[in-house]
DNA sequence: TCTGGGGTCCTAGGACCC
DNA sequence: TCTGGGGTCCTAGGACCC
């Protein structure tokens, strides 16, 4: 099924004829750093770190050359520079990553319409229906890797398996620039020796609890009674790990998903006590959230404030509104009230965040869509629009987007 | 070592309703 | 009258993922 190549990385030996591995997980290699290198080809082969060059920042991405020094995403920049003093640090350019991501997703969409973007740099594909046209999962994975590189200059790794979880695990093992196919009959042999951290949803805290049960591998989790698992990590987590560890993952590839919340947060360069400075920041965050709510055509029913003090203790406060809103000013007023109730006498603040939750689409807009500002005019409910224009007016409007939350009706 | 910013999901207690 | 259980909503916190 697979072998180790010279670098110790797993790659599929020659084409695997197995249609059971119809779910592909495509994961870009060192995505942000690779996009930066497109503009700076002279840096290829060098340790490059993407991140802000400031005291409180963390590593956003690192090339494999930098990772060899122990540098990883989310590591404090200061620590990364100690580990790899020669690293070249580049400022992030999120617009460029978004553009590259769209290009990649378009290419994936040429293989099958069943593409589920998982984040900016990875996606699941269900290629069961593309089999006759495009060949085996191995052939399809190979073709995708070639097309992505030809179209963007970026490398990606692909895992193929019968389930999402195994496909994702496989792409991880194939990295960088690899392809690994796990036929269904080989799933358990591949899965059982993996470490606990390979389980989706197992981080440092859960891993420690599992270790206290005497477990060390995915196979150990599969063999332990689910009741013991439940006591250690709770009902939902236990059920999920029980299934995943046995290679069971019922999730299918879904192409649309509704956003559940929209928020912004910021960590100050220095801890802040000045009320006016906090107010300004709160207003900026709220305005940003409002703009994104309007652009998405949704309203927030709940506003939440996140507060982190200089000692890193963090709290959240939230309030559900009688009338949902997408207006920055309203979000700001709520956030300020929440802050007043939680500020603890002006303790120095390290981070402020504002988030709109409980999003609702029960609203239609009458009027103009503005490219920069989104929906602008007076709002009214879907029912009110239906009463005025008839139910029929809602249906064509709903076809404007894949998951419209607000509809465009023209007089 | 001194910890970003974007999110999702789960738990748990209390309020409230039937 | 001192006793129930299910369901849903709200709030707060925590773990996790990229």
């Amino acid at each position: 099924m697979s072998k180790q190549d010279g670098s110790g990385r797993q790659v599929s030996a020659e084409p695997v004829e197995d249609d059971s591995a119809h779910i592909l997980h495509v994961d870009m290699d060192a995505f942000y750093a690779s996009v930066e290198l497109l503009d700076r080809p002279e840096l290829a082969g060098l340790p490059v770190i993407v991140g802000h060059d400031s005291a409180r920042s963390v590593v956003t991405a690192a090339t494999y050359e930098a990772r060899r020094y122990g540098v990883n995403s989310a590591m404090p920049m200061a620590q990364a520079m100690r580990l790899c003093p020669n690293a070249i640090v580049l400022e992030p350019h999120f617009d460029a990553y978004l553009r590259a991501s769209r290009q990649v997703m378009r290419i994936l969409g040429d293989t099958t319409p069943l593409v589920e973007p998982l984040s900016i740099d990875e996606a699941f594909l269900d290629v069961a229906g593309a089999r006759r046209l495009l060949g085996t999962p191995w052939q399809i994975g190979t073709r995708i890797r070639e097309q992505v590189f030809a179209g963007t200059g970026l490398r990606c790794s692909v895992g193929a398996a019968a389930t999402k979880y195994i496909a994702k695990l496989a792409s991880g093992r194939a990295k960088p620039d690899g392809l690994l196919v796990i036929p269904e009959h080989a799933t358990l042999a591949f899965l059982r020796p993996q470490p606990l951290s390979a389980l989706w949803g197992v981080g440092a805290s859960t891993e420690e609890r599992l270790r206290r049960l005497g477990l060390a591998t995915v196979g150990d989790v599969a063999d332990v009674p689910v009741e013991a698992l439940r006591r250690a990590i709770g009902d939902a987590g236990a059920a999920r790990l029980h299934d995943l560890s046995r290679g069971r993952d019922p999730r299918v590839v879904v192409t649309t998903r509704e956003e559940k919340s929209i928020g912004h947060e910021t960590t100050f360069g220095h801890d802040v006590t000045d009320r006016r400075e906090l107010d300004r920041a709160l207003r900026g965050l709220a305005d940003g959230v409002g703009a994104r709510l309007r652009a998405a055509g949704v309203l927030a029913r709940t506003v939440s404030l996140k507060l982190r003090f200089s000692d890193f203790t963090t709290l959240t406060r939230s309030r559900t509104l009688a009338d949902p809103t997408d207006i920055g000013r309203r979000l700001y007023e709520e956030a300020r009230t929440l802050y007043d109730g939680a500020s603890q006498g002006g303790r120095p603040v390290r981070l402020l965040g504002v988030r709109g939750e409980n999003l609702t689409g029960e609203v239609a807009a009458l009027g103009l869509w503005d490219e920069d500002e989104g929906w602008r005019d007076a709002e009214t409910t879907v029912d009110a629009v239906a009463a005025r224009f008839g139910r029929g007016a809602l249906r064509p409007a709903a076809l404007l987007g894949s998951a419209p939350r607000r509809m465009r009706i023209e007089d």
Side-chain angles (χ1 to χ4, degrees), chain A residues 316-335:
Chain A
T316 60
R317 292 289 180 270
S318 68
R319 193 171 106 80
T320 298
L321 310 171
D323 51 332
T325 188
D326 59 5
I327 306 301
R329 174 95 214 162
R330 278 283 291 132
L331 297 167
Y332 162 68
E333 286 164 0
E334 287 304 327

PDB file of all heavy atoms in Angstrom, chain A residues 316-335:
ATOM      1  N   THR A 316     -15.436  36.229  28.878  1.00  0.00           N
ATOM      2  CA  THR A 316     -16.370  36.678  27.858  1.00  0.00           C
ATOM      3  C   THR A 316     -17.679  37.056  28.529  1.00  0.00           C
ATOM      4  O   THR A 316     -18.051  36.487  29.555  1.00  0.00           O
ATOM      5  CB  THR A 316     -16.665  35.588  26.811  1.00  0.00           C
ATOM      6  OG1 THR A 316     -17.233  34.454  27.466  1.00  0.00           O
ATOM      7  CG2 THR A 316     -15.410  35.173  26.067  1.00  0.00           C
ATOM      8  N   ARG A 317     -18.338  38.050  27.958  1.00  0.00           N
ATOM      9  CA  ARG A 317     -19.659  38.466  28.419  1.00  0.00           C
ATOM     10  C   ARG A 317     -20.516  38.626  27.178  1.00  0.00           C
ATOM     11  O   ARG A 317     -20.051  39.146  26.163  1.00  0.00           O
ATOM     12  CB  ARG A 317     -19.591  39.802  29.171  1.00  0.00           C
ATOM     13  CG  ARG A 317     -18.856  39.725  30.511  1.00  0.00           C
ATOM     14  CD  ARG A 317     -19.663  38.952  31.552  1.00  0.00           C
ATOM     15  NE  ARG A 317     -18.959  38.876  32.824  1.00  0.00           N
ATOM     16  CZ  ARG A 317     -18.124  37.897  33.159  1.00  0.00           C
ATOM     17  NH1 ARG A 317     -17.875  36.917  32.304  1.00  0.00           N
ATOM     18  NH2 ARG A 317     -17.542  37.892  34.337  1.00  0.00           N
ATOM     19  N   SER A 318     -21.760  38.198  27.265  1.00  0.00           N
ATOM     20  CA  SER A 318     -22.602  38.316  26.079  1.00  0.00           C
ATOM     21  C   SER A 318     -24.014  38.717  26.445  1.00  0.00           C
ATOM     22  O   SER A 318     -24.453  38.533  27.586  1.00  0.00           O
ATOM     23  CB  SER A 318     -22.607  36.995  25.304  1.00  0.00           C
ATOM     24  OG  SER A 318     -23.266  35.991  26.049  1.00  0.00           O
ATOM     25  N   ARG A 319     -24.714  39.264  25.475  1.00  0.00           N
ATOM     26  CA  ARG A 319     -26.097  39.658  25.685  1.00  0.00           C
ATOM     27  C   ARG A 319     -26.887  39.436  24.403  1.00  0.00           C
ATOM     28  O   ARG A 319     -26.416  39.730  23.307  1.00  0.00           O
ATOM     29  CB  ARG A 319     -26.189  41.122  26.080  1.00  0.00           C
ATOM     30  CG  ARG A 319     -27.563  41.508  26.615  1.00  0.00           C
ATOM     31  CD  ARG A 319     -27.535  42.905  27.199  1.00  0.00           C
ATOM     32  NE  ARG A 319     -28.195  43.860  26.323  1.00  0.00           N
ATOM     33  CZ  ARG A 319     -29.514  44.006  26.254  1.00  0.00           C
ATOM     34  NH1 ARG A 319     -30.302  43.263  27.001  1.00  0.00           N
ATOM     35  NH2 ARG A 319     -30.048  44.894  25.442  1.00  0.00           N
ATOM     36  N   THR A 320     -28.057  38.875  24.557  1.00  0.00           N
ATOM     37  CA  THR A 320     -28.939  38.652  23.413  1.00  0.00           C
ATOM     38  C   THR A 320     -29.909  39.821  23.285  1.00  0.00           C
ATOM     39  O   THR A 320     -30.517  40.232  24.273  1.00  0.00           O
ATOM     40  CB  THR A 320     -29.690  37.325  23.590  1.00  0.00           C
ATOM     41  OG1 THR A 320     -28.729  36.267  23.622  1.00  0.00           O
ATOM     42  CG2 THR A 320     -30.653  37.087  22.441  1.00  0.00           C
ATOM     43  N   LEU A 321     -30.007  40.351  22.092  1.00  0.00           N
ATOM     44  CA  LEU A 321     -30.775  41.570  21.853  1.00  0.00           C
ATOM     45  C   LEU A 321     -32.231  41.249  21.536  1.00  0.00           C
ATOM     46  O   LEU A 321     -32.544  40.186  21.016  1.00  0.00           O
ATOM     47  CB  LEU A 321     -30.184  42.336  20.669  1.00  0.00           C
ATOM     48  CG  LEU A 321     -28.685  42.588  20.691  1.00  0.00           C
ATOM     49  CD1 LEU A 321     -28.232  43.162  19.360  1.00  0.00           C
ATOM     50  CD2 LEU A 321     -28.333  43.527  21.836  1.00  0.00           C
ATOM     51  N   ALA A 322     -33.085  42.208  21.836  1.00  0.00           N
ATOM     52  CA  ALA A 322     -34.495  42.050  21.453  1.00  0.00           C
ATOM     53  C   ALA A 322     -34.625  42.180  19.938  1.00  0.00           C
ATOM     54  O   ALA A 322     -35.394  41.477  19.301  1.00  0.00           O
ATOM     55  CB  ALA A 322     -35.349  43.093  22.158  1.00  0.00           C
ATOM     56  N   ASP A 323     -33.830  43.084  19.367  1.00  0.00           N
ATOM     57  CA  ASP A 323     -33.862  43.287  17.920  1.00  0.00           C
ATOM     58  C   ASP A 323     -32.462  43.091  17.349  1.00  0.00           C
ATOM     59  O   ASP A 323     -31.554  43.875  17.612  1.00  0.00           O
ATOM     60  CB  ASP A 323     -34.378  44.692  17.602  1.00  0.00           C
ATOM     61  CG  ASP A 323     -33.605  45.743  18.393  1.00  0.00           C
ATOM     62  OD1 ASP A 323     -33.104  45.408  19.488  1.00  0.00           O
ATOM     63  OD2 ASP A 323     -33.459  46.875  17.898  1.00  0.00           O
ATOM     64  N   PRO A 324     -32.276  42.036  16.556  1.00  0.00           N
ATOM     65  CA  PRO A 324     -30.965  41.728  15.973  1.00  0.00           C
ATOM     66  C   PRO A 324     -30.433  42.911  15.174  1.00  0.00           C
ATOM     67  O   PRO A 324     -31.215  43.718  14.664  1.00  0.00           O
ATOM     68  CB  PRO A 324     -31.266  40.544  15.048  1.00  0.00           C
ATOM     69  CG  PRO A 324     -32.554  39.979  15.511  1.00  0.00           C
ATOM     70  CD  PRO A 324     -33.317  41.084  16.136  1.00  0.00           C
ATOM     71  N   THR A 325     -29.116  42.995  15.055  1.00  0.00           N
ATOM     72  CA  THR A 325     -28.536  44.158  14.380  1.00  0.00           C
ATOM     73  C   THR A 325     -27.316  43.798  13.537  1.00  0.00           C
ATOM     74  O   THR A 325     -26.677  42.770  13.743  1.00  0.00           O
ATOM     75  CB  THR A 325     -28.122  45.224  15.415  1.00  0.00           C
ATOM     76  OG1 THR A 325     -27.739  46.409  14.736  1.00  0.00           O
ATOM     77  CG2 THR A 325     -26.951  44.734  16.250  1.00  0.00           C
ATOM     78  N   ASP A 326     -27.030  44.671  12.569  1.00  0.00           N
ATOM     79  CA  ASP A 326     -25.780  44.572  11.818  1.00  0.00           C
ATOM     80  C   ASP A 326     -25.094  45.938  11.792  1.00  0.00           C
ATOM     81  O   ASP A 326     -24.257  46.214  10.950  1.00  0.00           O
ATOM     82  CB  ASP A 326     -26.042  44.069  10.394  1.00  0.00           C
ATOM     83  CG  ASP A 326     -26.989  44.985   9.621  1.00  0.00           C
ATOM     84  OD1 ASP A 326     -27.371  46.051  10.148  1.00  0.00           O
ATOM     85  OD2 ASP A 326     -27.343  44.636   8.488  1.00  0.00           O
ATOM     86  N   ILE A 327     -25.475  46.789  12.735  1.00  0.00           N
ATOM     87  CA  ILE A 327     -24.987  48.167  12.771  1.00  0.00           C
ATOM     88  C   ILE A 327     -23.846  48.310  13.774  1.00  0.00           C
ATOM     89  O   ILE A 327     -23.990  47.980  14.947  1.00  0.00           O
ATOM     90  CB  ILE A 327     -26.123  49.134  13.187  1.00  0.00           C
ATOM     91  CG1 ILE A 327     -27.341  48.957  12.283  1.00  0.00           C
ATOM     92  CG2 ILE A 327     -25.641  50.578  13.157  1.00  0.00           C
ATOM     93  CD1 ILE A 327     -27.066  49.195  10.820  1.00  0.00           C
ATOM     94  N   GLY A 328     -22.714  48.837  13.295  1.00  0.00           N
ATOM     95  CA  GLY A 328     -21.537  48.970  14.135  1.00  0.00           C
ATOM     96  C   GLY A 328     -21.808  49.743  15.425  1.00  0.00           C
ATOM     97  O   GLY A 328     -21.384  49.340  16.505  1.00  0.00           O
ATOM     98  N   ARG A 329     -22.531  50.843  15.285  1.00  0.00           N
ATOM     99  CA  ARG A 329     -22.835  51.689  16.445  1.00  0.00           C
ATOM    100  C   ARG A 329     -23.572  50.907  17.552  1.00  0.00           C
ATOM    101  O   ARG A 329     -23.245  51.015  18.725  1.00  0.00           O
ATOM    102  CB  ARG A 329     -23.722  52.850  15.948  1.00  0.00           C
ATOM    103  CG  ARG A 329     -24.261  53.762  17.012  1.00  0.00           C
ATOM    104  CD  ARG A 329     -23.380  54.973  17.180  1.00  0.00           C
ATOM    105  NE  ARG A 329     -23.367  55.384  18.574  1.00  0.00           N
ATOM    106  CZ  ARG A 329     -22.442  56.180  19.107  1.00  0.00           C
ATOM    107  NH1 ARG A 329     -21.452  56.607  18.364  1.00  0.00           N
ATOM    108  NH2 ARG A 329     -22.486  56.502  20.374  1.00  0.00           N
ATOM    109  N   ARG A 330     -24.554  50.083  17.140  1.00  0.00           N
ATOM    110  CA  ARG A 330     -25.325  49.280  18.096  1.00  0.00           C
ATOM    111  C   ARG A 330     -24.424  48.241  18.766  1.00  0.00           C
ATOM    112  O   ARG A 330     -24.459  48.035  19.976  1.00  0.00           O
ATOM    113  CB  ARG A 330     -26.485  48.571  17.393  1.00  0.00           C
ATOM    114  CG  ARG A 330     -27.704  49.413  17.189  1.00  0.00           C
ATOM    115  CD  ARG A 330     -28.506  49.558  18.489  1.00  0.00           C
ATOM    116  NE  ARG A 330     -29.144  48.310  18.890  1.00  0.00           N
ATOM    117  CZ  ARG A 330     -29.098  47.812  20.114  1.00  0.00           C
ATOM    118  NH1 ARG A 330     -28.451  48.459  21.059  1.00  0.00           N
ATOM    119  NH2 ARG A 330     -29.699  46.681  20.397  1.00  0.00           N
ATOM    120  N   LEU A 331     -23.614  47.588  17.950  1.00  0.00           N
ATOM    121  CA  LEU A 331     -22.706  46.571  18.481  1.00  0.00           C
ATOM    122  C   LEU A 331     -21.759  47.221  19.490  1.00  0.00           C
ATOM    123  O   LEU A 331     -21.465  46.652  20.551  1.00  0.00           O
ATOM    124  CB  LEU A 331     -21.900  45.933  17.337  1.00  0.00           C
ATOM    125  CG  LEU A 331     -22.720  45.170  16.294  1.00  0.00           C
ATOM    126  CD1 LEU A 331     -21.866  44.857  15.061  1.00  0.00           C
ATOM    127  CD2 LEU A 331     -23.270  43.871  16.888  1.00  0.00           C
ATOM    128  N   TYR A 332     -21.294  48.417  19.136  1.00  0.00           N
ATOM    129  CA  TYR A 332     -20.378  49.138  20.009  1.00  0.00           C
ATOM    130  C   TYR A 332     -21.043  49.465  21.345  1.00  0.00           C
ATOM    131  O   TYR A 332     -20.463  49.267  22.410  1.00  0.00           O
ATOM    132  CB  TYR A 332     -19.907  50.419  19.314  1.00  0.00           C
ATOM    133  CG  TYR A 332     -19.311  51.437  20.243  1.00  0.00           C
ATOM    134  CD1 TYR A 332     -18.088  51.188  20.871  1.00  0.00           C
ATOM    135  CD2 TYR A 332     -19.960  52.643  20.504  1.00  0.00           C
ATOM    136  CE1 TYR A 332     -17.534  52.120  21.728  1.00  0.00           C
ATOM    137  CE2 TYR A 332     -19.413  53.572  21.356  1.00  0.00           C
ATOM    138  CZ  TYR A 332     -18.203  53.310  21.972  1.00  0.00           C
ATOM    139  OH  TYR A 332     -17.661  54.221  22.825  1.00  0.00           O
ATOM    140  N   GLU A 333     -22.268  49.962  21.298  1.00  0.00           N
ATOM    141  CA  GLU A 333     -22.958  50.323  22.543  1.00  0.00           C
ATOM    142  C   GLU A 333     -23.128  49.110  23.455  1.00  0.00           C
ATOM    143  O   GLU A 333     -22.898  49.180  24.667  1.00  0.00           O
ATOM    144  CB  GLU A 333     -24.323  50.952  22.224  1.00  0.00           C
ATOM    145  CG  GLU A 333     -24.196  52.360  21.678  1.00  0.00           C
ATOM    146  CD  GLU A 333     -25.477  52.847  20.996  1.00  0.00           C
ATOM    147  OE1 GLU A 333     -26.468  52.078  20.950  1.00  0.00           O
ATOM    148  OE2 GLU A 333     -25.471  53.990  20.507  1.00  0.00           O
ATOM    149  N   GLU A 334     -23.509  47.985  22.859  1.00  0.00           N
ATOM    150  CA  GLU A 334     -23.662  46.761  23.652  1.00  0.00           C
ATOM    151  C   GLU A 334     -22.326  46.335  24.236  1.00  0.00           C
ATOM    152  O   GLU A 334     -22.216  45.968  25.408  1.00  0.00           O
ATOM    153  CB  GLU A 334     -24.229  45.625  22.792  1.00  0.00           C
ATOM    154  CG  GLU A 334     -25.692  45.775  22.451  1.00  0.00           C
ATOM    155  CD  GLU A 334     -26.591  45.915  23.671  1.00  0.00           C
ATOM    156  OE1 GLU A 334     -26.261  45.309  24.722  1.00  0.00           O
ATOM    157  OE2 GLU A 334     -27.595  46.634  23.596  1.00  0.00           O
ATOM    158  N   ALA A 335     -21.297  46.361  23.389  1.00  0.00           N
ATOM    159  CA  ALA A 335     -19.972  45.922  23.824  1.00  0.00           C
ATOM    160  C   ALA A 335     -19.466  46.806  24.968  1.00  0.00           C
ATOM    161  O   ALA A 335     -18.864  46.322  25.925  1.00  0.00           O
ATOM    162  CB  ALA A 335     -18.995  45.948  22.648  1.00  0.00           C
TER     163      ALA A 335
END
